[in-house]
Amino acid sequence: MKALQRYQMSKAEEAALKAEIARQVHELDEKFSAEICAMLLWALHEEFGFGADRLRRVWDCVAVHRAELLKHYDMQDNAEFILLYKLRQIGVDVEKWTAEPQTQKVVLKE
């Protein structure tokens, strides 16, 4: 009886697989980033009265930070999400806030 052997990908197949995974991750990242930014911009408009010009400044600022973040992750494998770390340093624990139940609508305007 022959022993079963596990299939070994060639280096080319492995590289093609990694490239396809990276392409799909980038595609999903673009989609979700746009949706999250839209949600943030709408909240800033509705709750704090940001107008189109101010929202554009926020958008441009976020774009710069996002580009720096993507560069950071291109250079490091398995790095902690750096902005979560930086926010924790100033007392903002996004992971903790995310885990808290949202039982009521938050109204910031009076």
Side-chain angles (χ1 to χ4, degrees), residues 34-83:
E35 292 174 2
I36 290 169
C37 284
M39 185 173 31
L40 173 66
L41 293 173
W42 185 251
L44 290 172
H45 171 71
E46 284 290 300
E47 300 298 333
F48 302 106
F50 282 32
D53 292 340
R54 199 167 185 198
L55 290 173
R56 181 58 198 231
R57 289 197 326 257
V58 170
W59 176 268
D60 292 341
C61 179
V62 168
V64 168
H65 286 283
R66 184 171 184 272
E68 290 173 3
L69 185 66
L70 291 174
K71 187 189 309 180
H72 170 80
Y73 285 107
D74 281 343
M75 296 185 323
Q76 296 184 16
D77 289 334
N78 300 323
E80 177 185 16
F81 189 64
I82 194 167
L83 297 181

Side-chain angles (χ1 to χ4, degrees), residues 92-104:
V92 176
D93 191 337
V94 174
E95 291 170 327
K96 182 179 175 184
W97 291 359
T98 302
E100 293 173 356
Q102 294 291 325
T103 57
Q104 60 184 351

